[in-house]
Amino acid sequence: MPLTLTQVHGMVMVIGLMIFASTGVLFARYGRSIRFGNRRQLLGKAVWFQIHRFLLSISSILTLLGFLLILVRKGGQWANLATSDIRAFIHSIFGGTIVCCTMVQVWLALYRCHPQSRYRYIFDWSHRIVGLTVFILVIPTIFLISDAMSRFRPNLVPIFSCWIGWIVIVVLVLERIQYKQRSIVTPLANSVQTADTKEENGQRNVRQDTETATSMNNDHRRYDRLKLILLLCHFLVTNVIAIVFIVYICS
């Protein structure tokens, strides 16, 4: 049985937002100090940044593709509140907001200033706020349309609830690991020596290049391994949940 454009729209959005977007956001938040063996950079940039950019690029493409598919399916018309379910209408509003935020993120990424620019903080905060907005809106957007599909509601809602619960657990555990990692006290002598070296080299006020910098502290490696394992587990678990979700959408 051939898939409808609506089903393909749902499938593409689930893959783009639940799998790639969530993993990309978590990698940007918790994967900055992770190293793969002795490799700290890939093609001149930090490994975490390349992974983050790759995952979010795929997510952006799939999100825009999903929007195009449903736009074609509806003949370019927005959901009508008078004839549509209120949940489907709100879903369309949230979905449109996600698409707009995605386009803003693409624009910000393409025209971001240099990491050492004094205006970099504008990009950093706008990038975080827009990305977090998308990440938060994904939950009610998918939940509303899952609840509106009465035929599959008994299956879709629990499946998506499992994904939400998994996200909460992963974030809490990663935040705990991040806190423990940051609480590692660097010996005072090393701190003084580093500060003196920076002062001698005239680097006290130089901004760090976050796109190429990686952690070099050996004491952090155990926590880095834990974070990497959790991030990989998240990717695998999210794939399983998304596949089950898609099976019900396309059935």
PDB file of all heavy atoms in Angstrom, residues 107-138:
ATOM      1  N   TRP A 107      20.065  30.375   8.811  1.00  0.00           N
ATOM      2  CA  TRP A 107      20.607  31.696   8.492  1.00  0.00           C
ATOM      3  C   TRP A 107      21.679  32.102   9.499  1.00  0.00           C
ATOM      4  O   TRP A 107      22.741  32.619   9.121  1.00  0.00           O
ATOM      5  CB  TRP A 107      19.470  32.717   8.484  1.00  0.00           C
ATOM      6  CG  TRP A 107      19.916  34.097   8.110  1.00  0.00           C
ATOM      7  CD1 TRP A 107      20.088  34.607   6.864  1.00  0.00           C
ATOM      8  CD2 TRP A 107      20.264  35.157   9.023  1.00  0.00           C
ATOM      9  NE1 TRP A 107      20.514  35.914   6.929  1.00  0.00           N
ATOM     10  CE2 TRP A 107      20.629  36.279   8.236  1.00  0.00           C
ATOM     11  CE3 TRP A 107      20.285  35.263  10.413  1.00  0.00           C
ATOM     12  CZ2 TRP A 107      21.020  37.484   8.806  1.00  0.00           C
ATOM     13  CZ3 TRP A 107      20.682  36.464  10.983  1.00  0.00           C
ATOM     14  CH2 TRP A 107      21.043  37.556  10.186  1.00  0.00           C
ATOM     15  N   LEU A 108      21.419  31.865  10.781  1.00  0.00           N
ATOM     16  CA  LEU A 108      22.396  32.201  11.818  1.00  0.00           C
ATOM     17  C   LEU A 108      23.687  31.406  11.633  1.00  0.00           C
ATOM     18  O   LEU A 108      24.789  31.945  11.794  1.00  0.00           O
ATOM     19  CB  LEU A 108      21.808  31.916  13.201  1.00  0.00           C
ATOM     20  CG  LEU A 108      20.740  32.876  13.723  1.00  0.00           C
ATOM     21  CD1 LEU A 108      20.137  32.349  15.018  1.00  0.00           C
ATOM     22  CD2 LEU A 108      21.321  34.269  13.942  1.00  0.00           C
ATOM     23  N   ALA A 109      23.545  30.122  11.307  1.00  0.00           N
ATOM     24  CA  ALA A 109      24.726  29.273  11.153  1.00  0.00           C
ATOM     25  C   ALA A 109      25.565  29.685   9.944  1.00  0.00           C
ATOM     26  O   ALA A 109      26.796  29.672   9.993  1.00  0.00           O
ATOM     27  CB  ALA A 109      24.300  27.812  11.024  1.00  0.00           C
ATOM     28  N   LEU A 110      24.902  30.064   8.870  1.00  0.00           N
ATOM     29  CA  LEU A 110      25.628  30.434   7.651  1.00  0.00           C
ATOM     30  C   LEU A 110      26.358  31.761   7.799  1.00  0.00           C
ATOM     31  O   LEU A 110      27.439  31.954   7.229  1.00  0.00           O
ATOM     32  CB  LEU A 110      24.659  30.502   6.467  1.00  0.00           C
ATOM     33  CG  LEU A 110      24.098  29.168   5.965  1.00  0.00           C
ATOM     34  CD1 LEU A 110      23.071  29.408   4.862  1.00  0.00           C
ATOM     35  CD2 LEU A 110      25.219  28.264   5.451  1.00  0.00           C
ATOM     36  N   TYR A 111      25.785  32.677   8.571  1.00  0.00           N
ATOM     37  CA  TYR A 111      26.348  34.023   8.666  1.00  0.00           C
ATOM     38  C   TYR A 111      26.852  34.349  10.071  1.00  0.00           C
ATOM     39  O   TYR A 111      26.926  35.517  10.448  1.00  0.00           O
ATOM     40  CB  TYR A 111      25.300  35.053   8.230  1.00  0.00           C
ATOM     41  CG  TYR A 111      24.905  34.912   6.783  1.00  0.00           C
ATOM     42  CD1 TYR A 111      23.726  34.260   6.433  1.00  0.00           C
ATOM     43  CD2 TYR A 111      25.724  35.393   5.764  1.00  0.00           C
ATOM     44  CE1 TYR A 111      23.361  34.108   5.098  1.00  0.00           C
ATOM     45  CE2 TYR A 111      25.369  35.248   4.437  1.00  0.00           C
ATOM     46  CZ  TYR A 111      24.183  34.604   4.106  1.00  0.00           C
ATOM     47  OH  TYR A 111      23.829  34.454   2.788  1.00  0.00           O
ATOM     48  N   ARG A 112      27.206  33.308  10.829  1.00  0.00           N
ATOM     49  CA  ARG A 112      27.723  33.551  12.175  1.00  0.00           C
ATOM     50  C   ARG A 112      29.081  34.232  12.098  1.00  0.00           C
ATOM     51  O   ARG A 112      29.856  34.011  11.162  1.00  0.00           O
ATOM     52  CB  ARG A 112      27.829  32.246  12.961  1.00  0.00           C
ATOM     53  CG  ARG A 112      28.906  31.291  12.464  1.00  0.00           C
ATOM     54  CD  ARG A 112      28.813  29.951  13.181  1.00  0.00           C
ATOM     55  NE  ARG A 112      29.898  29.052  12.834  1.00  0.00           N
ATOM     56  CZ  ARG A 112      29.946  28.314  11.743  1.00  0.00           C
ATOM     57  NH1 ARG A 112      28.956  28.389  10.869  1.00  0.00           N
ATOM     58  NH2 ARG A 112      30.966  27.508  11.512  1.00  0.00           N
ATOM     59  N   CYS A 113      29.363  35.029  13.103  1.00  0.00           N
ATOM     60  CA  CYS A 113      30.644  35.728  13.138  1.00  0.00           C
ATOM     61  C   CYS A 113      31.733  34.794  13.659  1.00  0.00           C
ATOM     62  O   CYS A 113      31.460  33.695  14.139  1.00  0.00           O
ATOM     63  CB  CYS A 113      30.550  36.974  14.022  1.00  0.00           C
ATOM     64  SG  CYS A 113      29.977  36.641  15.699  1.00  0.00           S
ATOM     65  N   HIS A 114      32.970  35.245  13.576  1.00  0.00           N
ATOM     66  CA  HIS A 114      34.105  34.441  14.022  1.00  0.00           C
ATOM     67  C   HIS A 114      34.000  34.184  15.528  1.00  0.00           C
ATOM     68  O   HIS A 114      33.538  35.049  16.281  1.00  0.00           O
ATOM     69  CB  HIS A 114      35.419  35.171  13.704  1.00  0.00           C
ATOM     70  CG  HIS A 114      36.626  34.310  13.866  1.00  0.00           C
ATOM     71  ND1 HIS A 114      37.272  34.159  15.080  1.00  0.00           N
ATOM     72  CD2 HIS A 114      37.298  33.535  12.976  1.00  0.00           C
ATOM     73  CE1 HIS A 114      38.300  33.335  14.929  1.00  0.00           C
ATOM     74  NE2 HIS A 114      38.338  32.944  13.662  1.00  0.00           N
ATOM     75  N   PRO A 115      34.420  32.999  15.990  1.00  0.00           N
ATOM     76  CA  PRO A 115      34.325  32.690  17.423  1.00  0.00           C
ATOM     77  C   PRO A 115      35.019  33.695  18.332  1.00  0.00           C
ATOM     78  O   PRO A 115      34.655  33.822  19.502  1.00  0.00           O
ATOM     79  CB  PRO A 115      34.990  31.312  17.524  1.00  0.00           C
ATOM     80  CG  PRO A 115      34.775  30.701  16.186  1.00  0.00           C
ATOM     81  CD  PRO A 115      34.869  31.835  15.208  1.00  0.00           C
ATOM     82  N   GLN A 116      36.009  34.414  17.829  1.00  0.00           N
ATOM     83  CA  GLN A 116      36.727  35.376  18.657  1.00  0.00           C
ATOM     84  C   GLN A 116      36.223  36.805  18.466  1.00  0.00           C
ATOM     85  O   GLN A 116      36.805  37.741  19.009  1.00  0.00           O
ATOM     86  CB  GLN A 116      38.224  35.299  18.366  1.00  0.00           C
ATOM     87  CG  GLN A 116      38.840  33.959  18.766  1.00  0.00           C
ATOM     88  CD  GLN A 116      40.330  33.886  18.497  1.00  0.00           C
ATOM     89  OE1 GLN A 116      40.900  34.810  17.927  1.00  0.00           O
ATOM     90  NE2 GLN A 116      40.959  32.802  18.903  1.00  0.00           N
ATOM     91  N   SER A 117      35.149  36.964  17.714  1.00  0.00           N
ATOM     92  CA  SER A 117      34.575  38.293  17.524  1.00  0.00           C
ATOM     93  C   SER A 117      33.926  38.783  18.812  1.00  0.00           C
ATOM     94  O   SER A 117      33.369  38.000  19.580  1.00  0.00           O
ATOM     95  CB  SER A 117      33.541  38.257  16.398  1.00  0.00           C
ATOM     96  OG  SER A 117      32.814  39.471  16.339  1.00  0.00           O
ATOM     97  N   ARG A 118      33.972  40.080  19.037  1.00  0.00           N
ATOM     98  CA  ARG A 118      33.362  40.635  20.250  1.00  0.00           C
ATOM     99  C   ARG A 118      31.842  40.578  20.200  1.00  0.00           C
ATOM    100  O   ARG A 118      31.181  40.773  21.217  1.00  0.00           O
ATOM    101  CB  ARG A 118      33.815  42.075  20.451  1.00  0.00           C
ATOM    102  CG  ARG A 118      33.415  43.033  19.333  1.00  0.00           C
ATOM    103  CD  ARG A 118      33.804  44.450  19.695  1.00  0.00           C
ATOM    104  NE  ARG A 118      33.479  45.395  18.629  1.00  0.00           N
ATOM    105  CZ  ARG A 118      33.524  46.718  18.769  1.00  0.00           C
ATOM    106  NH1 ARG A 118      33.891  47.231  19.934  1.00  0.00           N
ATOM    107  NH2 ARG A 118      33.222  47.510  17.763  1.00  0.00           N
ATOM    108  N   TYR A 119      31.281  40.332  19.019  1.00  0.00           N
ATOM    109  CA  TYR A 119      29.832  40.212  18.876  1.00  0.00           C
ATOM    110  C   TYR A 119      29.366  38.754  18.895  1.00  0.00           C
ATOM    111  O   TYR A 119      28.195  38.478  18.660  1.00  0.00           O
ATOM    112  CB  TYR A 119      29.371  40.859  17.567  1.00  0.00           C
ATOM    113  CG  TYR A 119      29.699  42.330  17.468  1.00  0.00           C
ATOM    114  CD1 TYR A 119      30.657  42.784  16.569  1.00  0.00           C
ATOM    115  CD2 TYR A 119      29.055  43.258  18.287  1.00  0.00           C
ATOM    116  CE1 TYR A 119      30.970  44.134  16.482  1.00  0.00           C
ATOM    117  CE2 TYR A 119      29.358  44.608  18.204  1.00  0.00           C
ATOM    118  CZ  TYR A 119      30.316  45.043  17.303  1.00  0.00           C
ATOM    119  OH  TYR A 119      30.618  46.376  17.223  1.00  0.00           O
ATOM    120  N   ARG A 120      30.285  37.850  19.176  1.00  0.00           N
ATOM    121  CA  ARG A 120      29.959  36.427  19.134  1.00  0.00           C
ATOM    122  C   ARG A 120      28.841  36.070  20.110  1.00  0.00           C
ATOM    123  O   ARG A 120      28.042  35.171  19.839  1.00  0.00           O
ATOM    124  CB  ARG A 120      31.212  35.608  19.457  1.00  0.00           C
ATOM    125  CG  ARG A 120      30.990  34.104  19.488  1.00  0.00           C
ATOM    126  CD  ARG A 120      30.740  33.543  18.110  1.00  0.00           C
ATOM    127  NE  ARG A 120      30.591  32.092  18.147  1.00  0.00           N
ATOM    128  CZ  ARG A 120      30.684  31.300  17.094  1.00  0.00           C
ATOM    129  NH1 ARG A 120      30.925  31.815  15.905  1.00  0.00           N
ATOM    130  NH2 ARG A 120      30.540  30.001  17.208  1.00  0.00           N
ATOM    131  N   TYR A 121      28.779  36.753  21.239  1.00  0.00           N
ATOM    132  CA  TYR A 121      27.773  36.421  22.241  1.00  0.00           C
ATOM    133  C   TYR A 121      26.352  36.596  21.690  1.00  0.00           C
ATOM    134  O   TYR A 121      25.418  35.913  22.132  1.00  0.00           O
ATOM    135  CB  TYR A 121      27.956  37.279  23.494  1.00  0.00           C
ATOM    136  CG  TYR A 121      27.570  38.728  23.327  1.00  0.00           C
ATOM    137  CD1 TYR A 121      26.302  39.173  23.682  1.00  0.00           C
ATOM    138  CD2 TYR A 121      28.469  39.655  22.801  1.00  0.00           C
ATOM    139  CE1 TYR A 121      25.936  40.499  23.528  1.00  0.00           C
ATOM    140  CE2 TYR A 121      28.116  40.975  22.639  1.00  0.00           C
ATOM    141  CZ  TYR A 121      26.850  41.400  23.003  1.00  0.00           C
ATOM    142  OH  TYR A 121      26.491  42.708  22.837  1.00  0.00           O
ATOM    143  N   ILE A 122      26.183  37.501  20.722  1.00  0.00           N
ATOM    144  CA  ILE A 122      24.862  37.701  20.120  1.00  0.00           C
ATOM    145  C   ILE A 122      24.438  36.439  19.378  1.00  0.00           C
ATOM    146  O   ILE A 122      23.303  35.961  19.515  1.00  0.00           O
ATOM    147  CB  ILE A 122      24.873  38.912  19.169  1.00  0.00           C
ATOM    148  CG1 ILE A 122      25.221  40.186  19.940  1.00  0.00           C
ATOM    149  CG2 ILE A 122      23.524  39.049  18.461  1.00  0.00           C
ATOM    150  CD1 ILE A 122      25.337  41.415  19.052  1.00  0.00           C
ATOM    151  N   PHE A 123      25.367  35.892  18.595  1.00  0.00           N
ATOM    152  CA  PHE A 123      25.068  34.639  17.899  1.00  0.00           C
ATOM    153  C   PHE A 123      24.849  33.505  18.887  1.00  0.00           C
ATOM    154  O   PHE A 123      23.904  32.715  18.746  1.00  0.00           O
ATOM    155  CB  PHE A 123      26.210  34.274  16.946  1.00  0.00           C
ATOM    156  CG  PHE A 123      26.170  32.838  16.498  1.00  0.00           C
ATOM    157  CD1 PHE A 123      25.272  32.417  15.534  1.00  0.00           C
ATOM    158  CD2 PHE A 123      27.018  31.892  17.073  1.00  0.00           C
ATOM    159  CE1 PHE A 123      25.219  31.089  15.139  1.00  0.00           C
ATOM    160  CE2 PHE A 123      26.978  30.570  16.682  1.00  0.00           C
ATOM    161  CZ  PHE A 123      26.072  30.162  15.709  1.00  0.00           C
ATOM    162  N   ASP A 124      25.735  33.403  19.887  1.00  0.00           N
ATOM    163  CA  ASP A 124      25.647  32.296  20.842  1.00  0.00           C
ATOM    164  C   ASP A 124      24.279  32.250  21.517  1.00  0.00           C
ATOM    165  O   ASP A 124      23.630  31.191  21.570  1.00  0.00           O
ATOM    166  CB  ASP A 124      26.745  32.423  21.899  1.00  0.00           C
ATOM    167  CG  ASP A 124      28.123  32.130  21.330  1.00  0.00           C
ATOM    168  OD1 ASP A 124      28.202  31.468  20.281  1.00  0.00           O
ATOM    169  OD2 ASP A 124      29.119  32.572  21.936  1.00  0.00           O
ATOM    170  N   TRP A 125      23.818  33.384  22.019  1.00  0.00           N
ATOM    171  CA  TRP A 125      22.556  33.397  22.752  1.00  0.00           C
ATOM    172  C   TRP A 125      21.351  33.245  21.828  1.00  0.00           C
ATOM    173  O   TRP A 125      20.382  32.556  22.169  1.00  0.00           O
ATOM    174  CB  TRP A 125      22.443  34.676  23.582  1.00  0.00           C
ATOM    175  CG  TRP A 125      23.215  34.575  24.857  1.00  0.00           C
ATOM    176  CD1 TRP A 125      24.410  35.168  25.159  1.00  0.00           C
ATOM    177  CD2 TRP A 125      22.865  33.791  26.007  1.00  0.00           C
ATOM    178  NE1 TRP A 125      24.830  34.813  26.414  1.00  0.00           N
ATOM    179  CE2 TRP A 125      23.899  33.972  26.964  1.00  0.00           C
ATOM    180  CE3 TRP A 125      21.790  32.963  26.318  1.00  0.00           C
ATOM    181  CZ2 TRP A 125      23.879  33.349  28.208  1.00  0.00           C
ATOM    182  CZ3 TRP A 125      21.769  32.344  27.560  1.00  0.00           C
ATOM    183  CH2 TRP A 125      22.802  32.542  28.484  1.00  0.00           C
ATOM    184  N   SER A 126      21.390  33.883  20.676  1.00  0.00           N
ATOM    185  CA  SER A 126      20.271  33.735  19.740  1.00  0.00           C
ATOM    186  C   SER A 126      20.187  32.302  19.226  1.00  0.00           C
ATOM    187  O   SER A 126      19.092  31.737  19.094  1.00  0.00           O
ATOM    188  CB  SER A 126      20.422  34.712  18.568  1.00  0.00           C
ATOM    189  OG  SER A 126      21.649  34.509  17.891  1.00  0.00           O
ATOM    190  N   HIS A 127      21.343  31.691  18.971  1.00  0.00           N
ATOM    191  CA  HIS A 127      21.386  30.302  18.511  1.00  0.00           C
ATOM    192  C   HIS A 127      20.826  29.368  19.581  1.00  0.00           C
ATOM    193  O   HIS A 127      20.052  28.448  19.278  1.00  0.00           O
ATOM    194  CB  HIS A 127      22.832  29.933  18.181  1.00  0.00           C
ATOM    195  CG  HIS A 127      22.985  28.608  17.501  1.00  0.00           C
ATOM    196  ND1 HIS A 127      22.411  28.315  16.285  1.00  0.00           N
ATOM    197  CD2 HIS A 127      23.660  27.484  17.873  1.00  0.00           C
ATOM    198  CE1 HIS A 127      22.718  27.075  15.935  1.00  0.00           C
ATOM    199  NE2 HIS A 127      23.474  26.547  16.882  1.00  0.00           N
ATOM    200  N   ARG A 128      21.198  29.605  20.828  1.00  0.00           N
ATOM    201  CA  ARG A 128      20.695  28.772  21.927  1.00  0.00           C
ATOM    202  C   ARG A 128      19.191  28.938  22.115  1.00  0.00           C
ATOM    203  O   ARG A 128      18.460  27.954  22.276  1.00  0.00           O
ATOM    204  CB  ARG A 128      21.416  29.133  23.227  1.00  0.00           C
ATOM    205  CG  ARG A 128      22.882  28.740  23.277  1.00  0.00           C
ATOM    206  CD  ARG A 128      23.440  28.962  24.669  1.00  0.00           C
ATOM    207  NE  ARG A 128      24.881  28.759  24.708  1.00  0.00           N
ATOM    208  CZ  ARG A 128      25.765  29.733  24.868  1.00  0.00           C
ATOM    209  NH1 ARG A 128      25.347  30.985  25.005  1.00  0.00           N
ATOM    210  NH2 ARG A 128      27.057  29.483  24.897  1.00  0.00           N
ATOM    211  N   ILE A 129      18.734  30.182  22.119  1.00  0.00           N
ATOM    212  CA  ILE A 129      17.317  30.451  22.383  1.00  0.00           C
ATOM    213  C   ILE A 129      16.430  29.860  21.289  1.00  0.00           C
ATOM    214  O   ILE A 129      15.421  29.198  21.573  1.00  0.00           O
ATOM    215  CB  ILE A 129      17.080  31.970  22.513  1.00  0.00           C
ATOM    216  CG1 ILE A 129      17.747  32.493  23.791  1.00  0.00           C
ATOM    217  CG2 ILE A 129      15.584  32.285  22.536  1.00  0.00           C
ATOM    218  CD1 ILE A 129      17.743  34.000  23.915  1.00  0.00           C
ATOM    219  N   VAL A 130      16.810  30.080  20.035  1.00  0.00           N
ATOM    220  CA  VAL A 130      16.008  29.553  18.924  1.00  0.00           C
ATOM    221  C   VAL A 130      16.035  28.026  18.927  1.00  0.00           C
ATOM    222  O   VAL A 130      15.003  27.370  18.743  1.00  0.00           O
ATOM    223  CB  VAL A 130      16.518  30.106  17.579  1.00  0.00           C
ATOM    224  CG1 VAL A 130      15.750  29.477  16.417  1.00  0.00           C
ATOM    225  CG2 VAL A 130      16.376  31.622  17.534  1.00  0.00           C
ATOM    226  N   GLY A 131      17.213  27.453  19.155  1.00  0.00           N
ATOM    227  CA  GLY A 131      17.317  25.996  19.195  1.00  0.00           C
ATOM    228  C   GLY A 131      16.521  25.385  20.331  1.00  0.00           C
ATOM    229  O   GLY A 131      15.844  24.363  20.154  1.00  0.00           O
ATOM    230  N   LEU A 132      16.581  26.016  21.502  1.00  0.00           N
ATOM    231  CA  LEU A 132      15.821  25.514  22.647  1.00  0.00           C
ATOM    232  C   LEU A 132      14.319  25.642  22.405  1.00  0.00           C
ATOM    233  O   LEU A 132      13.538  24.773  22.817  1.00  0.00           O
ATOM    234  CB  LEU A 132      16.219  26.284  23.908  1.00  0.00           C
ATOM    235  CG  LEU A 132      15.612  25.801  25.228  1.00  0.00           C
ATOM    236  CD1 LEU A 132      16.009  24.360  25.499  1.00  0.00           C
ATOM    237  CD2 LEU A 132      16.047  26.699  26.383  1.00  0.00           C
ATOM    238  N   THR A 133      13.917  26.702  21.717  1.00  0.00           N
ATOM    239  CA  THR A 133      12.503  26.875  21.379  1.00  0.00           C
ATOM    240  C   THR A 133      12.003  25.725  20.515  1.00  0.00           C
ATOM    241  O   THR A 133      10.927  25.162  20.757  1.00  0.00           O
ATOM    242  CB  THR A 133      12.292  28.210  20.642  1.00  0.00           C
ATOM    243  OG1 THR A 133      12.715  29.290  21.482  1.00  0.00           O
ATOM    244  CG2 THR A 133      10.827  28.402  20.276  1.00  0.00           C
ATOM    245  N   VAL A 134      12.787  25.366  19.513  1.00  0.00           N
ATOM    246  CA  VAL A 134      12.414  24.238  18.649  1.00  0.00           C
ATOM    247  C   VAL A 134      12.346  22.952  19.458  1.00  0.00           C
ATOM    248  O   VAL A 134      11.387  22.170  19.343  1.00  0.00           O
ATOM    249  CB  VAL A 134      13.423  24.089  17.491  1.00  0.00           C
ATOM    250  CG1 VAL A 134      13.146  22.811  16.704  1.00  0.00           C
ATOM    251  CG2 VAL A 134      13.360  25.295  16.572  1.00  0.00           C
ATOM    252  N   PHE A 135      13.356  22.726  20.286  1.00  0.00           N
ATOM    253  CA  PHE A 135      13.435  21.497  21.072  1.00  0.00           C
ATOM    254  C   PHE A 135      12.223  21.350  21.993  1.00  0.00           C
ATOM    255  O   PHE A 135      11.675  20.257  22.157  1.00  0.00           O
ATOM    256  CB  PHE A 135      14.726  21.500  21.889  1.00  0.00           C
ATOM    257  CG  PHE A 135      15.062  20.171  22.504  1.00  0.00           C
ATOM    258  CD1 PHE A 135      15.341  19.070  21.715  1.00  0.00           C
ATOM    259  CD2 PHE A 135      15.108  20.021  23.879  1.00  0.00           C
ATOM    260  CE1 PHE A 135      15.653  17.842  22.282  1.00  0.00           C
ATOM    261  CE2 PHE A 135      15.420  18.804  24.456  1.00  0.00           C
ATOM    262  CZ  PHE A 135      15.689  17.712  23.651  1.00  0.00           C
ATOM    263  N   ILE A 136      11.784  22.466  22.575  1.00  0.00           N
ATOM    264  CA  ILE A 136      10.630  22.435  23.479  1.00  0.00           C
ATOM    265  C   ILE A 136       9.328  22.257  22.698  1.00  0.00           C
ATOM    266  O   ILE A 136       8.441  21.491  23.102  1.00  0.00           O
ATOM    267  CB  ILE A 136      10.581  23.722  24.326  1.00  0.00           C
ATOM    268  CG1 ILE A 136      11.767  23.752  25.298  1.00  0.00           C
ATOM    269  CG2 ILE A 136       9.271  23.820  25.098  1.00  0.00           C
ATOM    270  CD1 ILE A 136      11.893  25.044  26.076  1.00  0.00           C
ATOM    271  N   LEU A 137       9.207  22.947  21.560  1.00  0.00           N
ATOM    272  CA  LEU A 137       7.968  22.887  20.778  1.00  0.00           C
ATOM    273  C   LEU A 137       7.732  21.519  20.141  1.00  0.00           C
ATOM    274  O   LEU A 137       6.588  21.173  19.832  1.00  0.00           O
ATOM    275  CB  LEU A 137       7.981  23.959  19.690  1.00  0.00           C
ATOM    276  CG  LEU A 137       7.689  25.393  20.132  1.00  0.00           C
ATOM    277  CD1 LEU A 137       7.778  26.343  18.946  1.00  0.00           C
ATOM    278  CD2 LEU A 137       6.312  25.492  20.782  1.00  0.00           C
ATOM    279  N   VAL A 138       8.800  20.766  19.937  1.00  0.00           N
ATOM    280  CA  VAL A 138       8.646  19.433  19.342  1.00  0.00           C
ATOM    281  C   VAL A 138       7.702  18.573  20.180  1.00  0.00           C
ATOM    282  O   VAL A 138       6.876  17.823  19.636  1.00  0.00           O
ATOM    283  CB  VAL A 138      10.023  18.745  19.210  1.00  0.00           C
ATOM    284  CG1 VAL A 138       9.862  17.256  18.931  1.00  0.00           C
ATOM    285  CG2 VAL A 138      10.824  19.391  18.085  1.00  0.00           C
TER     286      VAL A 138
END
